[in-house]
């Protein structure tokens, strides 16, 4: 899903690709740790983020909601991975 990040960051961190190190990737995923006792979440994610795709926040948001946790996802149109300036939320 995130080929650039997998090559440059995740493979070295986890010692291989998701197919070869599946358990490590699963353990590192925030979605794995969602439970009814998770705290409320506010996700603010840029729609133009090429580092961490919006899909990651969408999945976490949906899993939190399914667990009964208060979660709000704000998709910031045209914003990338971090942004600055007067429209900083």
């Amino acid at each position: 899903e995130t080929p650039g990040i997998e090559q440059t960051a995740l493979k070295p961190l986890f010692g291989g690709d998701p197919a070869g190190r599946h358990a490590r990737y699963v353990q590192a995923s925030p979605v794995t740790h969602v439970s009814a006792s998770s705290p409320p979440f506010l996700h603010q994610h840029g729609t133009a983020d090429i580092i961490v795709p919006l899909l990651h926040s969408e999945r976490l948001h949906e899993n939190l909601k399914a667990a009964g946790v208060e979660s709000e996802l704000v998709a910031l149109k045209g914003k990338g991975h971090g942004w600055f300036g007067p429209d900083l939320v």
Side-chain angles (χ1 to χ4, degrees):
E1 293 175 31
T2 53
I5 295 304
E6 287 177 5
Q7 293 298 325
T8 60
L10 299 181
K11 278 186 174 184
L13 180 64
F14 297 129
D17 63 19
R21 298 292 191 181
H22 181 74
R24 288 184 184 188
Y25 280 79
V26 169
Q27 187 61 27
S29 172
V31 172
T32 300
H33 305 284
V34 168
S35 73
S37 63
S38 293
F41 268 72
L42 170 60
H43 316 259
Q44 296 179 332
H45 203 122
T47 61
D49 190 338
I50 60 170
I51 305 297
V52 179
L54 179 59
L55 177 63
H56 291 256
S57 285
E58 291 170 339
R59 284 184 180 161
L60 180 56
H61 171 69
E62 290 304 319
N63 278 271
L64 287 161
K65 299 284 282 184
V69 176
E70 185 179 344
S71 179
E72 181 178 351
L73 173 59
V74 179
L76 299 157
K77 187 175 181 176
K79 299 299 179 187
H81 191 81
W83 62 93
F84 304 93
D87 61 344
L88 182 62
V89 182

